[in-house]
Amino acid sequence: MASGESSAESAVTPGAVRVALLGCGTVGTEVVRLITEQADDLTARVGAPVELAGVAVRRPHRHPWLTETHGHLVTTDAAALATRDDVDAVVEVIGGIEPVRGWLLAALAAGKSVVTANKALLAEDGPTLAEAADASGADLYYEAAVAGAIPLLRPLRESLAGDRITRVAGIVNGTSNFILSAMSSGGTSYADALEEATRLGYAEADPSADVDGYDAASKAAILASLAFHTRITASDVHREGMRGVSAADVAAARRLGCTIKLLAICERVVDEAPDGSVAESVSARVYPAMVPDSHPLAGVDGAFNAVFVEAEAAGQLMFYGQGAGGAPTASAVLGDLVAVARNRTGGGRSPRESAYADLPVRPIGEVPTRYHVDLEVADREGVLATIAGAFAKQGVSIAAVRQTGGVFGAADGDPGQARLTVVTHSAPEAALSATVSALLELDIVPGVAGVLRVEGLGRAVAALGMGE
Amino acid sequence: MASGESSAESAVTPGAVRVALLGCGTVGTEVVRLITEQADDLTARVGAPVELAGVAVRRPHRHPWLTETHGHLVTTDAAALATRDDVDAVVEVIGGIEPVRGWLLAALAAGKSVVTANKALLAEDGPTLAEAADASGADLYYEAAVAGAIPLLRPLRESLAGDRITRVAGIVNGTSNFILSAMSSGGTSYADALEEATRLGYAEADPSADVDGYDAASKAAILASLAFHTRITASDVHREGMRGVSAADVAAARRLGCTIKLLAICERVVDEAPDGSVAESVSARVYPAMVPDSHPLAGVDGAFNAVFVEAEAAGQLMFYGQGAGGAPTASAVLGDLVAVARNRTGGGRSPRESAYADLPVRPIGEVPTRYHVDLEVADREGVLATIAGAFAKQGVSIAAVRQTGGVFGAADGDPGQARLTVVTHSAPEAALSATVSALLELDIVPGVAGVLRVEGLGRAVAALGMGE
């Protein structure tokens, strides 16, 4: 700890672990509150006091509570605070890549431990942060970056460190889940559900990060990196958002006994060659998919998150809780901060990041899933045979076909159209895409109304007795 | 690491973390398998090899696989192995209090880190083990002691270390859950369901530890100690087993839209005195209770475990997975072993146990829950008023009354009996016991057919939109 601080800084308790907080929005405010209100508990748990050394915000006048209660700690100079001599740990809850990356790298280089909730930065450049932490022997923790309050990264990094994880799959974006839940329960359109989410504060003015899957893709990259000891960035994650999910899709899912969820799926894929050699790869992807109502993920509504983890020895695990919000996220931040403080006082370090497995990323075209395809077709003899032929030509096997909806278009003098729903067996994405293209070339197929994946969630489902 | 080992011991890899395994039953066999098969992964994750230094078993001839594959490591002298110079960590999967306690204390005193799955020992004498670990600077980890593969203790000790946990409640004994699931789905009696569980290997020849709640009580003691930073032993846990649950109870639960589960419940109870002062205490209890079918715990069937955790900032969390079995338990052991090995190679220690809060244990008589009371009553006018009066006299408020079953006993010339089901509002156990005693004094109440608690699981339920 440095001596000779200016009087504008807070008094330093001897032996205290001193924390610089960067950002003081919803999460930061709760972090300040918890550090202050639970000071005695934290001291007892750590073996030393944990105290705020400073709070950096861009516009102090926008934080009346903070300036009133902790005015002497407030600064607008985050860069200086992050490397100040009297700071042991930096908690970052601002988000975004720049200028935060530079601040955190400088803090780590100066030996400050870092606790961050910044999923975008971690998914883009986590390894650089990890290297900086290794170089100076500082800690890097980021439990709050994925699934808010749910202890998920520590279990993956530590509890399952002696096991082989095969899959991590779940609902990791509360905003899109809230919208899908509203569409599912209320039969409302995407636009109306988004409007409600925005009104209630679940969605931001620009909802793109949530509804286009960028947020979930960042989280998938972090989860896949930890689970498979391989460097996966957000750009490695196949990403489809949920803007395209229509009320008709929701209704179609319901007819199948399914619910549509925006899923993040990270899998270890093992291919055995004819010569018996084995090649492993990682698939990380985010998209809306139909989930059987009997699967626990189907019942995860509103802003909640839930993640299934499968490992060879542990079998199937599920983690459930609040994925966002000030207090839940702050809980995760504080847990990490206690770990940092324990390490500072007792020696020790956060587990090092490891990318030793260095598995290749499997292209989405080679990832097999089941599909639900909604087709508009001419209501004519022989249509089914033609369509079945188009699927067969691409090697996509059909599990079920159903004519849904009545005849339509007949009033226009047209011979009449019907709607055909096809559910496939597992097929690679590339084969399905080729099938859809081929179908659209047929004059008996005026349009493809919807294509959605159906995720049985494999072994997870089998374990729950649902089969696939 | 010691030099000059005898040739009977295994070759020591320089820098390796050397593990003594005590016990090699179902779990131990899987530990040996994982350490052997995942050697490369473990080395990469730890930064040093993790290797077996020895395996202690009482009767080597009963372990043909072990003696065949690792014969040079087998010993019958657990005490000597646990303190041998070339051993860094001791993994104990024998169970029971003695002689294991002495071996582990000696190992800790000699600076060996300990990983144990021994819930009985931890619940009886955990603090003594923790003190021994503190004294020598060794690690003590025991994730496998509660809920098998489910990462639960690490989240409580570490992820939620900056939060205030208010409740931990769940299904932590797979055997009793299997029996209750079988009774519930098959309508079978307790005796038949137990027989099936024994036949399938889920229940031991002497099922007492499981069905009488001893196992769950040990786990509740461990959970409450960690969650509330208070020393709770198994004897502090109020324990009622599930031998007394009848097929009629299961049927009665179903009529109420409930399922009977053997629950372990640990709560922080806050009492506010009229003068505004606040007194905190801990309630830890195990008993069969009715759980609403809409609650996720009701759907946890067979040998699975699930635990709800509520904390002030994090809100409600759920953890689900396999609570027992060789491979799942070994997964938890290996996770702890990796932590020990990382600490050995990188410095650092397991979080110290803390009992600083030192909260008193709340007597079960003062713990309020709702009750379901099944009464045989004389089928006479005024009976309901008399019975309602008996409840009211003890301050137990009635939520619902229903006459169930038909008139019976009439064929014996009796004026006829009916069955009355009473569901109460929340009432202290002492008041309910006094009510039942008073009811049995009434000549219009020939018998009390069943008394079962109804657990709405408080805020957990509210969060799931079920109310209480």
Side-chain angles (χ1 to χ4, degrees), chain A residues 302-326:
Chain A
F304 276 83
N305 282 193
V307 177
F308 271 80
V309 177
E310 288 172 46
E312 284 183 1
Q316 179 204 349
L317 304 165
M318 188 178 88
F319 301 80
Y320 171 90
Q322 294 186 62

Side-chain angles (χ1 to χ4, degrees), chain A residues 38 41 44-45 151 154 157-159 161-164 229 313-314 316-321 327-328 331 335 342 348 351 356 464, chain B residues 38 41 44-45 151 154 157 159 161-164 229 313-314 316-321 327-328 331 335 342 348 351 356 464:
Chain A
Q38 306 208 357
D41 280 325
R45 293 174 197 178
R154 189 170 269 104
R157 278 170 98 165
E158 304 183 33
S159 308
D163 205 338
R164 190 187 298 257
H229 300 275
Q316 179 204 349
L317 304 165
M318 188 178 88
F319 301 80
Y320 171 90
S331 171
R342 283 173 173 163
Y356 71 88
L464 289 166
Chain B
Q38 307 208 356
D41 280 325
R45 293 174 195 177
R154 189 170 268 105
R157 279 170 97 165
S159 308
D163 205 337
R164 190 187 298 258
H229 300 274
Q316 178 203 351
L317 304 165
M318 188 176 90
F319 301 80
Y320 170 90
S331 171
R342 282 173 174 164
Y356 71 88
L464 290 167

Side-chain angles (χ1 to χ4, degrees), chain A residues 38-281:
Chain A
Q38 306 208 357
D40 292 347
D41 280 325
L42 292 174
T43 302
R45 293 174 197 178
V46 169
V50 176
E51 62 186 31
L52 281 170
V55 183
V57 293
R58 197 133 49 121
R59 302 186 194 84
H61 65 277
R62 290 207 183 165
H63 303 271
W65 173 79
L66 178 69
T67 48
E68 198 168 300
T69 57
H70 297 76
H72 61 297
L73 296 180
V74 176
T75 171
T76 54
D77 191 345
L81 175 61
T83 54
R84 222 170 64 188
D85 281 353
D86 69 319
V87 164
D88 298 304
V90 173
V91 171
E92 183 263 314
V93 289
I94 298 172
I97 311 287
E98 299 295 353
V100 171
R101 170 161 48 192
W103 297 340
L104 297 188
L105 287 173
L108 289 166
K112 321 297 185 194
S113 290
V114 165
V115 174
T116 173
N118 194 328
K119 64 214 87 165
L121 174 56
L122 288 159
E124 163 134 344
D125 206 15
T128 304
L129 293 177
E131 282 157 25
D134 280 350
S136 70
D139 282 341
L140 175 63
Y141 284 101
Y142 46 90
E143 180 68 73
V146 182
I150 307 174
L152 181 59
L153 304 193
R154 189 170 269 104
L156 290 180
R157 278 170 98 165
E158 304 183 33
S159 308
L160 292 164
D163 205 338
R164 190 187 298 257
I165 296 168
T166 51
R167 188 195 303 239
V168 181
I171 295 165
V172 294
N173 180 270
T175 303
S176 58
N177 199 50
F178 179 90
I179 294 171
L180 287 168
S181 294
M183 289 173 71
S184 183
S185 64
T188 50
S189 69
Y190 165 74
D192 288 350
L194 173 61
E195 194 180 301
E196 192 192 349
T198 310
R199 191 172 52 76
L200 293 171
Y202 287 120
E204 297 186 48
D206 174 3
S208 176
D210 295 317
V211 302
D212 293 329
Y214 290 101
D215 174 83
S218 291
K219 291 165 177 170
I222 295 169
L223 292 171
S225 298
L226 291 177
F228 306 127
H229 300 275
T230 291
R231 180 181 175 166
I232 303 287
T233 65
S235 59
D236 295 323
V237 180
H238 174 78
R239 178 188 53 76
E240 297 171 31
M242 42 85 53
R243 278 187 208 262
V245 176
S246 65
D249 290 329
V250 171
R254 179 159 311 148
R255 281 193 299 273
L256 274 182
C258 288
T259 303
I260 298 177
K261 295 291 183 189
L262 185 70
L263 299 178
I265 302 175
C266 312
E267 285 176 324
R268 179 194 297 270
V269 185
V270 180
D271 291 300
E272 199 171 335
D275 67 357
S277 68
V278 160
E280 286 191 305
S281 59

